[in-house]
């Protein structure tokens, strides 16, 4: 089976890092995976999209054609890409920042990052934790290993904490 | 030797990063560049790695200077590379010609984006094929490679250095924004498992007197690099075997240029590399390269399931071009489709190769999106 | 000052099979080449440790005539090529022999950046106020009012002062002379060659055929006489008001300092990087 997962937000939310860590976790599990990204020219404030395609068979569609899962962290990102989510696809949103016009699940990820982790910047890891808990697309331990490998040195603990805050929220 | 990244293992990295790591493992120790999307990640990786392996990475004032600097470095005997995208590649055309004329081994990476001009900086395209082959003025030849995956970007970077050294020629690694920015699993071998080639150096003072002469009968002169006492004179003017400018003698010009072209053309079999899928009994043949070849492979699989005898020829080397192979394929195929992200470039070469033996049609896509397998299938079915 | 005979210099340093040169009667390039070769000779440098690099133009043909490693490159780009040579092998000494069109027009950007980086090269600049090889078009150095084939009514643009441009961009040593200043010229080149970092010695050099003829100075002596009229030694210029210096060209040494060169800075960077990343110096 092949799953197309898209993270959408605005520049600066760490959307691409979330995609990268999910991809690395899949690679750790020996799955086939491709991770790509699309961003506007602005370094901050433009829309930012990270795609992860995970499969246990060879991947030929190199871009997300119809996403199985869309994780939207900002209205701008949601609007830019909502039409590329499958009709029966899963929409996960930051419920404070995105007002979807279709069925969705989610939590106030940014608020959770601020209040439970103490750093709004970790919103990407909170959302990733929520996604993994809800879908089981990769194992929790693989993501934790990927976080240790990929986040800047010295920030491993806070990112792991954020991931777990999101995971617990999703497991509720 | 200690490497600044893990070796002998798999890694999950971008195409650009894979190119930088492969260059380091190929022995590249001089990089000059200028920031440009989507090639900057190569430069950033080189800036991080080069000082750690006693190499040089330097930001020049533009792409003209970048390619000039790597040519200068190469004449000191160092393997050298630069990377850019369309707008910068255009600026490099002048000194690409100089590198061809002076038979300087260098590697140029063009991470293609949509053009002309600034175009779509972050989106992939394959619009620079003709420019890579024919962009610089005058009669010439060089080598152009095209990777389809991050693993191929890694492997072909090493191949690019080997071919540059072996044939004393510039080699263009023609990739694109998609491969450059995409992350995939890549096997990074142990350095001692990588076969590396090095340019032929003169074995005697007598040999060194002919930096541009076919003294071994293989069309490739040994390269008397600077600082070894050879006192080599190198010029972009037409020159004789010793390097002396000869700007009005037509027979000397003809001899020089024909040798530079022949050293690539006569070694086609060694240089050219391609892959085939279900080609043997194919009635419908798709010819593709780079990122699009992956969608084309999928299209072949789907078409075969539906009972359509489709096959794929995936070109890994775009120049020199195997026109004879295309003619062979054209003799057995009912129809050839060329799928590429431009308005028809390799298409024209395929048409020439097919030599009227069968119909050749273009499946074109521009604007930054890659062909999906169904884009290709749709075109093919329409023609059935 | 003891001077070896010119024949001795010629026999030692020129490639006989490349002669004769393409230079016209009265051309100043030969004199400047001689100053440079004499400076190298006096320093006792080996011909195997120096690379001559050039772009396009009459003066750029010089690396072909001298018995050293030489790279005759594309128009204006010599300094970019030289950057690669010097950075890839800092043991090599690099001389860039160039003309004013090459350095100040098409290569202007490469020039200011090579100076800014303080690349350890010596530029020997032939400034003849014209494009000699292509037949006498005006250059970015042509003084206002002077004529060329592309300015039949006289140049209407402001000229560049290349030496001052180099000073402002951060060169370690900059001097300007005319080919008539034989002794100062050799001394300056010698000083420039010995110094680390970017060094420039500019020579006002006669081009009677392409430039002089169009400006009522048909012979080299006429051009040299003209240089005497328009040049002012820096010691004298210091005490002159700007109005009096209008239309004059100051000659002499403009700067002599020892800022770290690009290669020295890069060596430092390598050490810093290795320390930061836990790579031990000298480790296999």
């Amino acid at each position: 089976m092949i799953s197309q997962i898209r993270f959408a937000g605005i520049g600066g939310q760490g959307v691409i890092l979330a995609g990268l860590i999910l991809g690395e976790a899949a690679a750790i599990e020996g799955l086939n995976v491709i991770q790509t990204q699309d961003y506007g020219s602005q370094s901050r404030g433009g829309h930012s999209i990270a795609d992860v395609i995970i499969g246990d068979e060879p991947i030929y569609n190199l871009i997300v054609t119809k996403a199985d899962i869309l994780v939207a962290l900002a209205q701008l990102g949601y609007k830019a890409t909502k039409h590329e989510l499958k009709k029966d696809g899963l929409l996960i949103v930051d419920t404070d920042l995105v007002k979807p016009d279709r069925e969705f699940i989610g939590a106030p990820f940014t608020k959770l990052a601020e209040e439970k982790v103490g750093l709004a910047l970790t919103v990407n890891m909170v959302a990733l934790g929520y996604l993994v808990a809800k879908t089981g697309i990769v194992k929790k331990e693989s993501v934790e290993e990927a976080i240790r490998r990929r986040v800047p040195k010295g920030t491993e603990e806070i990112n792991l904490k954020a991931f777990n805050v999101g995971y617990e929220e999703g497991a509720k | 030797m200690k490497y600044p990244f893990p070796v002998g293992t798999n890694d999950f990295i971008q195409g650009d990063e894979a190119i930088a790591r492969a260059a380091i493992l190929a022995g590249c120790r001089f990089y000059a560049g200028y920031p440009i999307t989507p090639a900057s990640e190569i430069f950033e990786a080189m800036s991080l790695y080069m000082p750690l392996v006693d190499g040089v990475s330097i930001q020049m004032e533009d792409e003209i200077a970048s390619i000039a600097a790597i040519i200068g470095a190469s004449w000191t005997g160092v393997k050298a590379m630069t990377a850019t995208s369309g707008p910068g590649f255009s600026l490099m055309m002048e000194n690409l010609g100089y590198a061809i004329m002076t038979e300087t081994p260098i590697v140029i990476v063009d991470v293609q984006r949509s053009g002309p001009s600034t175009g779509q900086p972050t989106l992939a395209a394959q619009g620079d094929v003709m420019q890579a082959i024919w962009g610089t003025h005058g009669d010439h030849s060089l080598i152009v490679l095209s990777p389809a995956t991050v693993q191929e970007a890694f492997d072909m970077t090493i191949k690019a250095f080997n071919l540059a050294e072996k044939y004393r020629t510039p080699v263009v690694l023609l990739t694109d924004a998609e491969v450059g920015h995409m992350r995939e699993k890549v096997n990074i071998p142990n350095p001692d498992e990588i076969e590396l080639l090095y340019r032929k150096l003169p074995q005697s003072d007598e040999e060194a007197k002919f930096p541009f002469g076919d003294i071994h009968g293989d069309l490739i002169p040994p390269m008397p690099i600077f600082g070894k006492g050879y006192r080599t004179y190198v010029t972009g003017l037409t020159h004789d075997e010793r390097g002396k400018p000869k700007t009005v003698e037509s027979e000397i010009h003809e001899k020089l240029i024909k040798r530079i072209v022949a050293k690539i053309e006569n070694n086609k079999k060694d240089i050219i590399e391609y892959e085939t899928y279900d080609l043997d009994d194919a009635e419908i043949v798709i010819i593709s390269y780079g990122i699009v070849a992956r969608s084309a492979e999928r299209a072949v699989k789907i078409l075969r399931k539906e009972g359509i005898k489709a096959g794929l020829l995936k070109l890994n080397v775009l120049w020199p071009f195997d026109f004879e192979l295309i003619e062979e394929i054209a003799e057995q195929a009912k129809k050839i489709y060329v799928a590429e992200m431009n308005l028809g470039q390799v298409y024209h070469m395929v048409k020439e190769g097919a030599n009227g033996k069968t119909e050749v049609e273009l499946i074109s896509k521009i604007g930054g999106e890659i062909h999906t397998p169904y884009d290709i299938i749709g075109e093919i079915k329409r023609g059935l | 000052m003891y001077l070896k005979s010119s024949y001795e210099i010629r026999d030692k340093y020129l490639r006989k099979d490349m002669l004769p040169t393409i230079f016209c009667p009265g051309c100043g390039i030969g004199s400047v080449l001689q100053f440079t070769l004499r400076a190298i000779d006096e320093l006792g440098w080996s011909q195997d440790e120096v690379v001559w690099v050039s772009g396009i133009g009459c003066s750029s043909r010089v690396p072909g005539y001298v018995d050293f490693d030489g790279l005759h490159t594309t128009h204006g780009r010599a300094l970019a090529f030289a950057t690669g040579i010097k950075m890839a092998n800092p043991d090599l000494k690099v001389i860039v022999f160039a003309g004013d069109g090459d350095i100040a027009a098409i290569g202007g950007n490469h020039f200011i950046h090579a100076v800014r980086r303080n690349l350890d090269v010596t530029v020997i600049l032939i400034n003849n106020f014209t494009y000699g090889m292509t037949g006498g078009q005006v250059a970015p150095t042509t003084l206002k009012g002077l004529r060329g084939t592309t300015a039949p009514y006289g140049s209407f643009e402001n000229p560049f002062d290349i030496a001052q441009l180099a000073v402002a961009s951060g060169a370690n040593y900059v001097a300007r002379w005319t080919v008539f200043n034989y002794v100062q010229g050799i001394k300056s080149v010698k000083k420039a060659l010995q110094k680390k970092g970017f060094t420039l010695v500019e020579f006002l050099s006669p081009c009677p055929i392409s430039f002089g003829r169009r400006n009522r100075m048909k012979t080299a002596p006429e051009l040299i006489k003209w240089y005497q009229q328009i040049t002012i030694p820096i010691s004298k210029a210091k005490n002159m008001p700007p109005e009096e210096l209008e239309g004059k060209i100051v000659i002499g040494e403009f700067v002599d300092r020892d800022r770290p060169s690009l290669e020295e800075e890069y060596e430092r960077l390598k050490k810093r990087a290795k320390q930061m990343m836990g790579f031990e110096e000298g480790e296999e």
Side-chain angles (χ1 to χ4, degrees):
Chain A
M1 200 190 82
I2 290 186
S3 306
Q4 302 188 348
I5 304 125
R6 169 166 288 181
F7 293 87
I10 52 173
Q13 282 185 317
V15 161
I16 288 163
L17 184 62
L20 165 58
I21 286 171
L22 178 60
E24 175 107 24
I28 288 169
E29 293 183 11
L31 297 164
N32 290 313
V33 58
I34 288 179
Q35 191 265 314
T36 57
Q37 55 230 11
D38 166 29
Y39 42 82
S41 294
Q42 317 84 311
S43 290
R44 292 289 179 270
H47 79 265
S48 177
I49 288 171
D51 288 342
V52 188
I53 305 175
I54 299 175
D56 48 12
E57 52 190 285
I59 300 167
Y60 293 101
N61 277 324
L62 306 173
I63 46 169
V64 165
T65 43
K66 275 290 174 190
D68 300 288
I69 302 167
L70 171 63
V71 182
L73 299 184
Q75 187 69 14
L76 181 69
Y78 172 66
K79 272 170 66 182
T81 189
K82 63 180 185 181
H83 56 282
E84 277 164 317
L85 177 62
K86 273 184 187 162
K87 270 201 177 129
D88 58 347
L90 176 65
L91 174 63
I92 298 175
V93 301
D94 184 316
T95 48
D96 282 349
L97 300 179
V98 183
K99 297 295 161 217
D101 42 14
R102 58 174 287 168
E103 211 178 308
F104 67 94
I105 58 170
F109 299 131
T110 308
K111 202 166 139 197
L112 285 170
E114 269 168 6
E115 291 176 357
K116 293 205 174 167
V117 188
L119 187 64
L121 267 180
T122 60
V123 57
N124 55 351
M125 292 301 113
V126 176
L128 182 59
Y130 187 90
L131 164 76
V132 171
K134 283 288 183 206
T135 63
I137 187 152
V138 287
K139 293 189 195 83
K140 184 170 180 274
E141 298 72 34
S142 316
V143 182
E144 286 171 338
E145 171 60 23
I147 289 174
R148 278 184 214 104
R149 288 191 194 175
R150 289 290 178 168
V151 300
K153 263 190 189 156
T155 69
E156 294 91 342
E157 286 315 309
I158 196 156
N159 278 296
L160 285 167
K161 186 178 170 189
F163 173 73
N164 278 295
V165 165
Y167 192 87
E168 280 159 26
E169 188 67 29
K172 267 181 193 169
Chain B
M1 156 155 192
K2 192 170 166 185
Y3 287 92
F5 45 78
V7 292
T9 180
N10 289 331
D11 215 330
F12 183 61
I13 53 174
Q14 287 187 316
D16 281 354
E17 172 80 26
I19 290 166
R21 292 188 189 184
I24 299 277
L25 289 170
C28 173
R29 290 296 177 269
F30 189 93
Y31 183 92
Y34 187 82
I36 189 166
T37 302
S40 291
E41 288 86 349
I42 298 173
F43 190 5
E44 287 162 5
M46 284 308 216
S47 309
L48 192 64
Y49 299 150
M50 274 301 193
L52 305 175
V53 296
D54 282 310
V56 175
S57 175
I58 185 166
Q59 183 161 329
M60 299 302 290
E61 52 274 17
D62 56 31
E63 288 87 348
I64 301 171
S66 302
I67 183 171
I70 67 166
I71 294 169
S74 184
W75 273 97
T76 71
V78 174
K79 291 186 184 180
M81 179 173 97
T82 185
T84 187
S85 188
F89 196 49
S90 291
L91 288 182
M92 290 184 182
M93 287 303 122
E94 177 194 41
N95 286 333
L96 176 60
Y98 183 82
I100 292 169
M101 190 63 151
T102 55
E103 301 178 69
T104 309
I106 51 166
V107 173
I108 303 156
V109 183
D110 175 12
V111 189
Q112 294 171 96
R113 61 192 233 189
S114 299
S117 192
T118 320
Q120 297 173 297
T122 59
L123 301 182
Q126 295 180 322
D128 302 355
V129 177
M130 281 298 159
Q131 186 187 24
I133 304 169
W134 298 119
T136 196
H137 65 274
D139 296 305
H140 61 265
S141 192
L142 77 172
I143 297 170
V144 181
L145 309 178
S146 166
T149 66
V150 176
Q151 183 71 55
E152 283 184 6
F154 180 92
D155 296 342
M156 285 191 196
T157 301
I158 290 171
K159 184 182 165 94
F161 276 99
N162 283 345
L163 291 172
E165 293 287 317
K166 185 171 180 184
Y167 294 107
R168 237 187 102 177
T169 181
V171 177
V172 178
L173 182 72
L174 196 62
T175 181
D176 64 76
E178 201 61 40
V179 173
H181 278 166
M182 172 193 289
R183 277 190 183 80
E184 285 189 287
K185 198 167 65 183
V186 183
N187 174 254
I188 298 179
N190 272 313
D192 50 10
E193 290 162 12
I194 302 173
E195 194 203 350
L196 296 184
L197 302 180
Y198 296 89
R199 66 195 71 176
K200 223 166 22 181
L201 299 174
Q203 298 305 309
S204 65
D205 288 348
E206 189 54 28
E207 270 193 36
K209 283 180 190 160
F210 300 94
F212 306 96
D214 182 16
I215 53 174
H216 291 305
D218 61 354
L219 305 169
I220 309 152
M223 187 170 173
I225 55 174
F226 292 165
K228 305 284 178 201
Y230 299 129
R231 301 185 194 170
T232 311
Y233 176 61
V234 183
T235 177
L237 290 168
T238 293
H239 43 270
D240 66 12
E241 297 176 335
R242 291 171 180 262
K244 188 175 178 180
K246 295 281 181 189
T247 54
V248 292
E249 295 84 345
S250 55
E251 66 288 352
I252 289 179
H253 182 80
E254 192 180 336
K255 193 177 168 195
L256 172 68
I257 301 303
K258 283 191 169 169
R259 180 177 59 73
I260 287 175
V261 172
K263 75 178 175 183
I264 307 293
E265 277 301 306
N266 295 5
N267 289 299
K268 258 177 158 176
K269 290 284 172 257
D270 178 51
I271 298 165
I272 290 176
E273 183 186 295
Y274 58 84
E275 291 164 46
T276 62
Y277 298 94
D278 294 333
L279 193 63
D280 288 346
D281 63 338
E283 294 172 351
I284 302 290
V285 175
I286 309 170
I287 297 179
S288 198
Y289 55 94
I291 191 84
V292 184
R294 298 172 71 158
S295 295
E297 189 188 337
R298 176 74 176 149
V300 166
K301 290 205 160 118
I302 296 168
L303 287 166
R304 283 273 168 178
K305 266 187 203 157
E306 295 179 10
I308 297 167
K309 283 189 173 172
L312 169 69
L313 172 69
K314 171 176 172 283
L315 306 170
N316 292 353
V317 177
L318 300 180
W319 197 264
F321 194 79
D322 199 341
F323 292 99
E324 298 78 19
L325 173 72
I326 305 292
E327 187 164 3
E328 271 170 43
I329 290 170
E331 275 164 5
Q332 64 146 43
K334 285 188 177 156
K335 199 161 180 182
I336 294 176
Y337 288 90
V338 179
E340 53 184 339
M341 289 173 73
N342 55 46
L343 294 179
Q345 297 198 14
V346 167
Y347 164 70
H348 291 287
M349 302 200 285
V350 170
K351 232 177 154 180
E352 187 188 333
N355 202 12
K357 301 273 163 66
T358 193
E359 203 183 330
V360 181
E361 211 170 288
L362 170 69
I363 305 177
S364 161
K365 191 153 186 179
I366 60 169
E369 279 181 25
I370 307 157
H371 300 66
T372 66
Y374 291 97
D375 289 335
I376 297 169
I377 292 165
E379 283 291 327
I380 289 171
K381 283 190 173 168
R382 209 167 312 156
L384 286 177
Chain C
M1 185 173 188
Y2 165 76
L3 290 177
K4 277 188 187 169
S5 89
S6 300
Y7 297 114
E8 213 177 312
I9 297 292
R10 181 193 68 187
D11 292 346
K12 182 164 181 199
Y13 292 104
L14 297 191
R15 298 174 191 259
K16 277 160 217 79
D17 61 327
M18 293 282 199
L19 300 177
T21 70
I22 61 160
F23 306 141
C24 309
C27 173
I29 296 171
S31 306
V32 178
L33 173 57
Q34 198 190 130
F35 302 164
T36 312
L37 292 174
R38 284 187 184 280
I40 289 172
D41 194 61
E42 284 179 24
L43 291 170
W45 283 7
S46 154
Q47 277 156 272
D48 299 333
E49 60 178 351
V50 185
V51 183
W52 293 55
V53 187
S54 65
I56 296 294
C58 297
S59 50
S60 293
R61 296 300 279 270
V62 159
Y65 303 130
V66 295
D67 195 16
F68 294 79
D69 283 326
L71 196 67
H72 175 216
T73 72
T74 44
H75 198 14
R77 322 294 178 209
L79 278 162
F81 285 88
T83 306
I85 295 171
K86 185 69 194 179
M87 291 302 283
N89 185 355
D91 293 337
L92 294 172
K93 299 178 161 88
V94 181
I95 294 172
V96 171
F97 212 94
D100 51 309
D102 210 40
I103 283 285
I106 191 164
N109 202 36
H110 305 307
F111 177 72
I112 55 171
H113 285 279
V115 184
R116 171 182 67 78
R117 294 186 186 104
N118 209 11
L119 179 72
D120 184 19
V121 297
T122 295
V123 174
I124 307 294
L125 176 71
I126 302 287
N127 184 356
N128 53 17
F129 305 110
T130 191
Y131 284 80
M133 185 172 261
T134 44
Q137 296 80 14
V138 285
T141 43
T142 311
L143 305 180
K144 235 182 208 172
L146 291 175
R147 288 187 192 160
T149 56
T150 47
Y153 311 110
S155 169
F156 59 97
E157 295 181 23
N158 299 315
F160 252 138
D161 182 329
I162 301 176
Q164 289 304 333
L165 189 62
V167 172
S169 306
N172 265 356
Y173 180 79
V174 178
R176 174 163 51 214
W177 306 104
T178 77
V179 293
F180 196 59
N181 305 106
Y182 196 96
V183 177
Q184 297 97 318
I186 296 173
K187 274 189 181 164
S188 248
V189 174
K190 218 166 127 183
K191 213 165 176 181
L193 289 175
Q194 284 172 286
K195 189 174 271 292
K196 284 251 167 215
F198 196 96
T199 54
L200 168 74
V201 187
E202 175 184 346
F203 287 95
L204 305 188
S205 172
C207 175
I209 303 297
S210 286
F211 173 76
R213 268 192 311 143
R214 299 193 169 81
N215 289 287
R216 296 168 187 240
M217 294 175 278
K218 283 187 181 156
T219 62
E222 285 171 86
L223 280 159
I224 286 171
K225 231 176 258 168
W226 176 61
Y227 292 158
Q228 281 177 316
Q229 288 161 19
I230 62 165
T231 55
I232 307 271
I234 189 166
S235 51
K236 206 170 154 194
K238 269 177 192 159
N239 305 316
M240 284 167 69
E243 343 39 289
E244 271 183 57
L245 284 168
E246 193 73 29
K248 302 283 186 196
I249 295 176
V250 180
I251 54 169
E253 284 184 346
F254 298 106
V255 73
D256 183 355
R257 59 195 166 197
D258 292 293
R259 294 176 174 174
S261 71
L262 184 65
E263 315 75 66
E264 291 168 326
E265 294 283 19
Y266 195 77
E267 280 308 310
R268 251 172 251 161
L269 170 113
K270 279 202 285 193
K271 276 205 184 106
R272 195 160 71 228
K274 285 177 184 173
Q275 278 163 7
M276 280 172 72
M277 302 305 280
F279 274 61
E280 295 298 314
E281 183 75 296
E283 191 179 306
E284 228 331 272

